[in-house]
Amino acid sequence: MPSVGMGTEGNVMTKQIRCECGFIARADTDDNVVAVITEHMRADHPDVLAGVDRQDIYGWIEDI
């Protein structure tokens, strides 16, 4: 089972990915934030999405 990081105040950490266009995808898990950014890229940047490996997207995740 994946572990969930805790923020400094005991809150579950949020995951985020920032798109170069300014869109910020946020979710509670790696898989969910990847799903959000993938949908954004599918709608707004399909050419970029076509050239990106899904595992690369996981490398873009930031804990906040």
Side-chain angles (χ1 to χ4, degrees), residues 5-49:
M6 299 298 284
T8 57
E9 297 176 9
N11 297 326
V12 175
M13 277 191 196
T14 299
K15 309 292 184 165
Q16 79 175 20
I17 298 174
R18 295 174 186 261
C19 183
E20 291 181 358
C21 75
F23 179 84
I24 301 174
R26 288 193 179 105
D28 58 344
T29 67
D30 289 358
D31 291 336
N32 289 345
V33 77
V34 168
V36 172
I37 200 69
T38 300
E39 272 306 305
H40 165 70
M41 292 175 71
R42 185 173 290 118
D44 292 1
H45 314 290
D47 294 340
V48 175
L49 182 60

